[in-house]
């Protein structure tokens, strides 16, 4: 996991409720990412941020929101507009070494709907 | 955009045998190809990667090959052990984002 922490490990959401997943990194990485993982679907990009106070939509951003107020933090909010939120959510950050980038993942948060 | 296809989706081998997982990509601009191992309930762990300026890279029992002309790359695991059992993902990097294959579930039978 290398310095990327996600909390909580499990999260339960009630119908119509917004929930926020935490992602923190102490690696001094500039870029951070949120992925959703469903069985047999691989990893799909939700949002990403290359720099503080800036972020871009990924392939499945609808029903999600993010903020990047600090370099080390990139929280993800799953809103009530996300109708099928049950999934494993993975946060990642990227180390840049010149033109080369390497992406590392956190341990994940499993979100379940009650 | 980039599209990554990964095969096979499941692979079962006997302990000590070799395992090969193959991926193809569509964007000729992709220049970075990592492989991740994911154990049940955990985040993916980077196990090896290759950049477009080399054709092969090896780290102990794991090797990756890249054919840029054909747009495919492969993961080779030799002398497999039960602890190699996991889901393996390939990815290709294009324009600041990684695009992942759908994964291969590898089972190593003792």
């Amino acid at each position: 996991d290398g310095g990327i922490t996600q909390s909580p490990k499990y999260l339960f959401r009630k119908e119509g409720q917004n929930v926020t997943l935490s992602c923190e990194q102490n690696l001094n990485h500039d870029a951070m990412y949120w992925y959703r993982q469903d069985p047999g679907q691989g990893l799909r990009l939700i949002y990403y941020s290359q720099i503080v106070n800036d972020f871009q939509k990924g392939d499945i951003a609808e029903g999600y929101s993010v903020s990047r107020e600090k370099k080390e933090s990139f929280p993800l909010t799953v809103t009530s507009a996300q109708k099928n939120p049950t999934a494993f959510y993975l946060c990642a950050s990227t180390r840049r070494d010149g033109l080369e980038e390497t992406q590392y993942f956190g341990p994940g948060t499993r979100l379940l709907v009650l | 955009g980039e599209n990554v296809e990964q095969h096979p989706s499941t692979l079962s081998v006997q302990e000590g045998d070799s395992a090969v997982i193959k991926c193809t990509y569509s964007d000729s601009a992709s220049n970075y190809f990592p492989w991740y191992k994911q154990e049940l309930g955990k985040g993916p762990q980077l196990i090896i990667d290759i950049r477009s300026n080399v054709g092969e890279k090896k780290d102990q029992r794991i090797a990756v090959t890249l054919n840029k002309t054909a747009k495919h790359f492969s993961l080779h695991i030799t002398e497999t052990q039960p602890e190699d059992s996991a889901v393996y993902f390939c990815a290709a990097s294009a324009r600041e984002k990684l695009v992942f294959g759908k994964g291969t579930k590898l089972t190593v039978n003792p």
Side-chain angles (χ1 to χ4, degrees):
Chain A
D1 302 330
I4 303 172
T5 57
Q6 290 187 242
S7 61
K9 188 174 177 65
Y10 296 96
L11 185 59
F12 299 92
R13 193 190 92 165
K14 296 179 180 178
E15 293 289 337
Q17 185 182 43
N18 292 353
V19 293
T20 297
L21 284 61
S22 170
C23 178
E24 303 278 330
Q25 54 97 1
N26 61 2
L27 302 169
N28 199 33
H29 290 175
D30 288 308
M32 298 185 73
Y33 304 78
W34 274 106
Y35 295 90
R36 170 179 172 141
Q37 186 175 33
D38 296 281
Q41 293 285 334
L43 283 73
R44 292 184 289 170
L45 183 64
I46 305 173
Y47 268 98
Y48 64 105
S49 169
Q50 298 286 346
I51 195 170
V52 174
N53 293 323
D54 189 33
F55 48 83
Q56 290 78 39
K57 292 181 178 180
D59 301 318
I60 55 166
E62 185 174 352
Y64 300 96
S65 65
V66 293
S67 63
R68 187 85 187 279
E69 298 177 0
K70 297 186 296 182
K71 186 176 184 178
E72 59 270 23
S73 178
F74 191 40
L76 173 74
T77 296
V78 184
T79 75
S80 57
Q82 173 49 245
K83 298 305 179 187
N84 184 24
T86 297
F88 191 46
Y89 290 86
L90 289 158
C91 178
S93 67
T94 297
R95 175 178 65 87
R96 288 204 182 97
D97 182 9
L99 295 178
E100 297 186 350
E101 297 188 357
T102 307
Q103 190 164 124
Y104 299 93
F105 285 86
T109 292
R110 188 165 298 280
L111 177 61
L112 300 166
V113 177
L114 296 176
Chain B
E2 174 67 280
N3 182 51
V4 177
E5 299 283 341
Q6 182 172 348
H7 299 279
S9 57
T10 61
L11 179 60
S12 182
V13 299
Q14 290 299 121
E15 183 176 358
D17 288 350
S18 294
V20 180
I21 303 170
K22 299 181 179 181
C23 289
T24 61
Y25 62 99
S26 60
D27 189 346
S28 57
S30 290
N31 58 5
Y32 174 59
F33 308 91
W35 286 88
Y36 291 88
K37 175 184 180 181
Q38 187 177 29
E39 297 176 342
L40 193 61
K42 296 185 178 181
Q45 178 186 10
L46 179 69
I47 56 171
I48 195 168
D49 57 12
I50 191 168
R51 304 190 189 269
S52 59
N53 55 346
V54 297
E56 184 174 358
K57 183 177 180 180
K58 188 173 182 180
D59 183 4
Q60 299 182 348
R61 297 186 296 110
I62 295 173
V64 58
T65 59
L66 171 64
N67 183 327
K68 287 213 72 179
T69 302
K71 295 197 188 76
H72 66 72
F73 56 112
S74 301
L75 177 72
H76 305 253
I77 306 174
T78 59
E79 300 171 18
T80 54
Q81 301 167 3
E83 50 265 40
D84 294 329
S85 296
V87 178
Y88 290 81
F89 291 96
C90 64
S93 176
R95 299 171 180 82
E96 300 176 331
K97 295 185 291 183
L98 282 179
V99 177
F100 288 83
K102 292 190 175 182
T104 296
K105 183 177 181 181
L106 173 65
T107 302
V108 180
N109 301 300

